[in-house]
Amino acid sequence: MAKDLTFSCSECGASHTKWSGRCDACSAWNSITEDKPLSSGPKSAKSLGNKRGKELPLTDLATQQAAPARTKAGVDELDRVLGGGLVAASAILVGGDPGIGKSTLLLQAAARFARNGLNVIYITGEESTSQVQMRARRLGLEDSPVKLAAETNLRDILTTLDAQKPDLVIIDSIQTMWSDAVDSAPGSVSQVRTAAHELTTFAKTRGIAVILVGHVTKEGAIAGPRVVEHMVDCVLYFEGERGHQFRILRAVKNRFGPSDEIGVFEMTGKGLAEVKNPSALFLSERAPAPGSVVFAGIEGTRPLLCEIQALVSPAPPGTARRSVVGWDSARLNMILAVLDSRCGISFTGLDVYLNVAGGLRISEPAADLAVAAALVSAREDTTLPETCVILGEISLSGALRPVSQMENRLKEAQKLGFTQAIMPPLAKRSGDPGLETREIRDLATFVSDVFGLSPDA
Ligand code: TYD
Ligand code: MG
């Protein structure tokens, strides 16, 4: 029997059944090589022969290791996202669109950690040292004891780390790093992967914490930091809309703390400032109008109120658009379908625009009812009461499903002066919610009670 040969692309990792000059997956030329067969185990069942390694020390599940040492930056929004501070010898990836403020955030963080006693090295592969110094002056950080270098050669960087023995190294960005172990260009998947692997394993064995910056592009076509995600302990994404001053640092993976946690910042002329009360900020520009609804959300452990806006306008025949910013467009289509088939409210022939105000991005299904309310409010041109929050998940049957952490959400709404919450029935009652609750079982009842629309109207 002929042995099955397999080939894979050294740029993108795609596997192929035959060799060709160009990879169909990433369009790289001359990158496909034959895979070496995996070495099989020893032939004889009795002895390992020359495949013998050293025996591992085994432990049990009960023996406690000491909790990892953490250093706080002293910036709550950052420390919370890290799970309570920076863990010694951990590897962190900070991803985000170019220009969103990653270098600014990390220079500020570097200065904070340095002030709190860590030996910090900041390596930039994108800018010159004088550009970083200029930024430091603008941020008022020129006196902080951060050591700086502009370099992209990984071998020189590792040699420097070996000599300097820092507690924390920041690499800005991983796409510019270049390792002589592979001969593809900086920024290609194999370079990014190799550089990240060499840096993180080196740092871990020396007890150095490492923060890698990675650019993500909207298309995701260029070697994104995605390939690095599984090599690090913690993946943070820095998000926000260019035109808005809000920036959100979101933990999507964290081996040392909760993921889903967010930190909210504001980009000012003097760098990033913490936002202590994001709900107030996200609602500050609100003017009650048809299509505007306040949703009581949760991001990680923290309640966050935000405004959902909808606009509906007649579309020329056959060209109706569905446009969404800050929410899932598949979920919007589902809600439109449920409104149509369960409540008789059709959006056929209408353009629908949905927007989460302030550049926020929400992914909770708990926002379903608020989205439905915004859509119906826009279509009927009615304004909802200004001091009312709406929340609840909608199922395909039109039933409203309870959402998690209800108490936290209602407490936040009450704190910001809201007097009424429209929501699914509470599973269990615990104490006074502090505001009037209107508990509704299904979407058809909701549109008839709140908007006075009976099904088939
Ligand atoms: P930067 O940190 O360079 O982004 P990234 O590293 O993610 O590419 O920041 C880019 C933007 O931030 C730039 O458009 C200027 C703006 N900015 C401020 O508004 N205030 C500041 O204090 C600084 C340093 C930058
Ligand atoms: Mg940068």
Side-chain angles (χ1 to χ4, degrees):
M1 197 175 79
K3 210 155 120 223
D4 286 334
L5 288 181
T6 56
F7 298 85
S8 64
C9 169
S10 63
E11 291 292 317
C12 71
S15 37
H16 299 271
T17 50
K18 60 182 191 329
W19 190 88
S20 73
R22 187 179 192 210
C23 172
D24 321 326
C26 68
S27 310
W29 288 98
N30 205 19
S31 62
I32 296 183
T33 51
E34 188 185 322
D35 290 335
K36 295 218 174 59
L38 287 175
S39 74
S40 50
K43 295 270 186 312
S44 137
K46 289 219 182 75
S47 129
L48 287 167
N50 60 2
K51 300 235 157 128
R52 184 171 220 40
K54 77 174 192 313
E55 194 177 334
L56 304 174
L58 301 173
T59 177
D60 55 36
L61 297 177
T63 312
Q64 287 268 325
Q65 305 280 327
R70 289 184 187 266
T71 309
K72 284 200 188 305
V75 179
D76 283 348
E77 297 297 308
L78 176 63
D79 289 334
R80 197 183 47 250
V81 175
L82 288 171
L86 178 75
V87 174
S90 61
I92 296 167
L93 171 71
V94 177
D97 295 338
I100 204 73
K102 299 179 295 299
S103 302
T104 309
L105 175 75
L106 289 175
L107 191 59
Q108 287 183 279
R112 287 291 193 141
F113 285 122
R115 198 184 313 156
N116 292 348
L118 295 190
N119 180 359
V120 184
I121 296 187
Y122 186 106
I123 307 235
T124 174
E126 306 205 326
E127 295 163 293
S128 64
T129 45
S130 63
Q131 278 173 306
V132 179
Q133 285 159 343
M134 227 159 68
R135 178 178 298 129
R137 255 197 306 284
R138 177 172 175 187
L139 301 172
L141 299 175
E142 66 272 35
D143 297 328
S144 52
V146 175
K147 295 174 193 149
L148 176 67
E151 186 51 68
T152 58
N153 183 332
L154 203 59
R155 193 179 286 267
D156 295 348
I157 292 172
L158 296 186
T159 309
T160 312
L161 297 184
D162 194 31
Q164 296 278 331
K165 306 199 170 33
D167 301 303
L168 168 65
V169 59
I170 294 173
I171 305 286
D172 186 1
S173 65
I174 189 65
Q175 271 104 345
T176 56
M177 293 299 138
W178 173 80
S179 159
D180 52 19
V182 274
D183 49 6
S184 49
S188 65
V189 174
S190 48
Q191 270 294 354
V192 169
R193 194 164 25 198
T194 310
H197 178 74
E198 284 191 32
L199 270 164
T200 51
T201 45
F202 179 85
K204 284 217 176 234
T205 53
R206 309 292 159 113
I208 304 170
V210 51
I211 302 184
L212 306 174
V213 175
H215 297 293
V216 220
T217 53
K218 286 256 153 56
E219 307 76 40
I222 302 171
R226 294 273 140 97
V227 291
V228 182
E229 284 185 357
H230 66 274
M231 290 182 208
V232 294
D233 301 308
C234 180
V235 178
L236 311 179
Y237 274 95
F238 202 41
E239 317 172 332
E241 298 293 324
R242 264 323 163 80
H244 290 285
Q245 73 272 38
F246 314 124
R247 297 286 182 272
I248 291 174
L249 186 66
R250 186 185 294 275
V252 295
K253 161 180 170 180
N254 195 346
R255 285 186 185 148
F256 306 113
S259 57
D260 302 331
E261 204 63 83
I262 66 165
V264 184
F265 297 87
E266 190 177 358
M267 184 59 100
T268 69
K270 281 202 154 58
L272 291 155
E274 288 187 89
V275 174
K276 295 273 187 197
N277 187 348
S279 299
L281 188 78
F282 284 117
L283 296 180
S284 62
E285 286 158 17
R286 184 170 70 108
S292 155
V293 167
V294 177
F295 165 58
I298 291 270
E299 292 288 345
T301 52
R302 171 205 251 184
L304 183 63
L305 264 54
C306 60
E307 183 193 2
I308 293 180
Q309 304 167 336
L311 177 70
V312 167
S313 68
T319 62
R321 292 171 54 138
R322 307 284 179 249
S323 160
V324 192
V325 179
W327 210 52
D328 181 19
S329 60
R331 199 100 198 150
L332 170 66
N333 288 329
M334 183 203 100
I335 289 174
L336 291 171
V338 177
L339 278 170
D340 191 348
S341 57
R342 307 290 173 198
C343 314
I345 300 174
S346 161
F347 289 81
T348 316
L350 295 171
D351 282 340
V352 175
Y353 301 91
L354 187 79
N355 178 34
V356 180
L360 196 63
R361 204 168 298 162
I362 40 183
S363 53
E364 280 194 286
D368 289 354
L369 188 59
V371 169
L375 294 170
V376 179
S377 152
R379 183 177 180 273
E380 299 302 312
D381 203 23
T382 42
T383 307
L384 286 160
E386 192 180 344
T387 58
C388 168
V389 292
I390 299 187
L391 64 163
E393 181 178 341
I394 299 175
S395 65
L396 289 179
S397 66
L400 300 185
R401 287 211 286 242
V403 298
S404 62
Q405 303 193 48
M406 198 51 128
E407 231 172 293
N408 264 343
R409 300 176 194 255
L410 296 182
K411 211 183 289 162
E412 177 83 354
Q414 186 211 7
K415 213 166 73 192
L416 284 148
F418 288 82
T419 58
Q420 192 188 57
I422 305 182
M423 57 194 222
L426 276 177
K428 63 174 194 307
R429 223 155 284 272
S430 52
D432 178 20
L435 72 176
E436 183 202 339
T437 55
R438 275 172 82 177
E439 297 173 33
I440 297 182
R441 280 187 184 286
D442 59 73
L443 193 58
T445 317
F446 173 81
V447 294
S448 77
D449 283 11
V450 176
F451 295 99
L453 297 172
S454 61
D456 309 314

